Amino acid sequence: MKSGPPSSSLTASQTKPAKVAGRFYNEPLLDFAVKENRDKMKIALANFRKEFGTTYSPMIDGKKVASQDLHDRENPSAVNEIVGKIAMASVPDADRAVASAKEFYPKWRKETPQTRANILKKWSALMKCDRFRLIAIEVFETGKPWAEADNRKT
């Protein structure tokens, strides 16, 4: 007696629904068994490691907010490594950020759905371009394995 799933005469293309143009689809996960993906990931990790110790400041209205309250962000997989220094916003900074968002919202609300979608598509394209870097950041900041960090980006 044969074991395993029942045989089917359907081909793979017949079992997968066709993609519809203009519709949202998650990016497929990267296959790190593929040498090219592993090599790109190793380069992204090495490049981001060069940025360790950088100070990251909050931004309000496109401008960095100065802060003397810095917190070290350690690599949870190697706690002696400081991934970055995080500048903490104050309560008045948070109040300014909320006020700024409230001020901008009416303009955003008046944009057509197509305009808003186009902005989000541009943002998505930028994230695709920086995919390996974004994965590297998550690997160092959270200690996640490559595939799990990639899963959070798609």
Side-chain angles (χ1 to χ4, degrees):
M1 182 175 224
K2 280 170 66 173
S3 64
S7 63
S8 171
S9 60
L10 294 176
T11 65
S13 64
Q14 292 171 315
T15 59
K16 290 183 183 176
K19 287 195 173 186
V20 178
R23 235 177 127 191
F24 172 80
Y25 294 95
N26 283 342
E27 283 291 305
L29 296 175
L30 292 170
D31 182 353
F32 291 108
V34 174
K35 184 179 181 333
E36 179 184 7
N37 291 337
R38 284 193 317 274
D39 290 346
K40 286 181 179 179
M41 191 65 226
K42 288 175 186 176
I43 290 167
L45 290 165
N47 286 341
F48 186 68
R49 185 177 286 281
K50 294 174 191 173
E51 297 178 40
F52 276 16
T54 298
T55 298
Y56 298 94
S57 300
M59 295 187 74
I60 301 172
D61 290 327
K63 298 178 190 100
K64 287 185 180 182
V65 176
S67 174
Q68 299 304 311
D69 185 10
L70 300 178
H71 291 252
D72 288 344
R73 183 65 178 109
E74 297 170 345
N75 176 352
S77 299
V79 294
N80 61 326
E81 293 180 334
I82 304 301
V83 177
K85 296 181 180 295
I86 310 304
M88 305 304 288
S90 65
V91 172
D93 292 334
D95 290 341
R96 281 190 311 132
V98 170
S100 176
K102 283 181 178 179
E103 184 180 327
F104 178 75
Y105 180 71
K107 180 180 178 191
W108 177 255
R109 185 179 55 213
K110 288 178 185 175
E111 294 292 351
T112 66
Q114 187 61 52
T115 298
R116 286 184 271 167
N118 288 340
I119 291 168
L120 294 175
K121 285 176 185 176
K122 287 178 186 176
W123 184 37
S124 173
L126 291 171
M127 289 182 70
K128 280 184 204 177
C129 288
D130 281 344
R131 184 174 186 174
F132 286 94
R133 183 175 190 279
L134 293 169
I135 296 168
I137 291 168
E138 182 134 0
V139 165
F140 284 125
E141 189 176 0
T142 66
K144 289 185 178 187
W146 297 1
E148 189 175 338
D150 179 41
N151 187 32
R152 304 233 334 134
K153 304 295 170 261
T154 57

